[in-house]
Amino acid sequence: MKNIIAPSILSADFAHLAADIEMLNESECGWIHLDIMDGVFVPNLSFGLPVVEHISRLATKPLDAHLMIVNPDNYLARFAQAGVSLLTVHYEACTHLERTVSAIHDLGMKAGVAINPHTNVCLLEDILGEIDLALIMSVNPGFGGQKFIPQSVEKVRKLKKMITDSGSKCLIEIDGGVNKDNVALLRKAGVDAFVAGSSVFGSDDPSETISFMANA
Ligand code: DX5
Ligand code: ZN
């Protein structure tokens, strides 16, 4: 089974976004990762729904939207209408997480929950049976091109055991500082989906980098 590689558009060339999406369509990537930032939950602004709608018209791969925003409940339906397949909210941004996960499912999308580097995986225990994806942040959210936080590997192992023991079907996605050098170690630890921004779009041959990581 190939690794699911989810290139992050945050590191793409926004002056030639259509060409980058075309490259991803032809590549071995599994998903396209969309980092939505509001400047409140994280100290950065990225892009919003008009860009997502344009990407959705061009992309032939599922859109994996990562909401680094406060009050995500206010936008769930608009991301569904924009064509997102998998919508991930932050544990730290949701007061009534179970209600948010149910609302994402009611809109026909798969539901993911992301946790920041300081958030313990144990906090996912009571929602693990309801979500399709658990996203472990291996950098502090807000920017591409940051250094991988090494403790994230142990977090993956712990979460994988929780998923196995509980019989949950939840996938594990890792996000931040993922590259050719750590992808095999992360797969061994239990990761299913790998977000990669700068290591893909900053490489000489993004499509080859994706293939390498998909088969690592
Ligand atoms: C950071 C984002 C990540 C980031 C990954 O807040 O959630 O998806 O874009 O970029 P790299 O792979 O360069 O760390
Ligand atoms: Zn992300």
Side-chain angles (χ1 to χ4, degrees):
M1 169 92 161
K2 278 189 196 302
N3 297 328
I4 301 168
I5 306 304
S8 164
I9 291 294
L10 190 68
S11 300
D13 176 355
F14 274 77
H16 302 93
L17 198 50
D20 277 352
I21 300 295
E22 198 41 46
M23 179 274 292
L24 295 181
N25 287 342
E26 301 305 311
S27 78
E28 287 191 75
C29 79
W31 304 336
I32 296 178
H33 189 77
L34 309 177
D35 284 311
I36 311 298
M37 302 176 183
D38 64 0
V40 178
F41 183 74
V42 290
N44 197 5
L45 287 163
S46 59
F47 51 90
L49 284 149
V51 175
V52 174
E53 283 153 12
H54 276 83
I55 291 173
S56 177
R57 281 201 279 277
L58 297 170
T60 57
K61 304 280 173 83
L63 301 185
D64 161 37
H66 174 194
L67 301 191
M68 287 163 276
I69 66 174
V70 296
N71 305 321
D73 292 331
N74 298 345
Y75 299 94
L76 305 180
R78 292 183 57 195
F79 278 102
Q81 281 147 20
V84 165
S85 305
L86 202 159
L87 193 64
T88 295
V89 293
H90 264 266
Y91 171 90
E92 302 88 353
C94 296
T95 311
H96 301 290
L97 183 59
E98 200 283 336
R99 183 183 289 149
T100 302
V101 166
S102 301
I104 293 171
H105 282 148
D106 291 349
L107 287 161
M109 297 180 285
K110 289 195 179 302
V113 175
I115 53 173
N116 284 332
H118 63 279
T119 303
N120 195 308
V121 291
C122 299
L123 293 169
L124 293 177
E125 191 172 359
D126 294 328
I127 198 82
L128 216 44
E130 296 185 43
I131 58 178
D132 306 288
L133 181 77
L135 191 159
I136 291 186
M137 288 307 296
S138 37
V139 295
N140 289 298
F143 302 91
Q146 300 180 86
K147 220 166 130 342
F148 181 87
I149 297 174
Q151 297 89 294
S152 312
V153 182
E154 194 44 41
K155 272 182 97 166
V156 167
R157 290 194 187 104
K158 213 167 142 189
L159 178 58
K160 187 65 185 174
K161 185 167 180 334
M162 285 168 62
I163 291 171
T164 310
D165 293 352
S166 67
S168 161
K169 298 267 170 290
C170 176
L171 297 178
I172 299 178
E173 185 171 40
I174 189 103
D175 187 1
V178 177
N179 55 45
K180 282 181 161 180
D181 300 330
N182 58 25
V183 59
L185 168 74
L186 288 165
R187 175 188 174 115
K188 216 157 143 256
V191 174
D192 303 290
F194 304 74
V195 178
S198 51
S199 63
V200 165
F201 290 104
S203 69
D204 296 340
D205 183 344
S207 188
E208 184 280 330
T209 302
I210 292 167
S211 294
F212 178 95
M213 294 173 80
N215 297 287

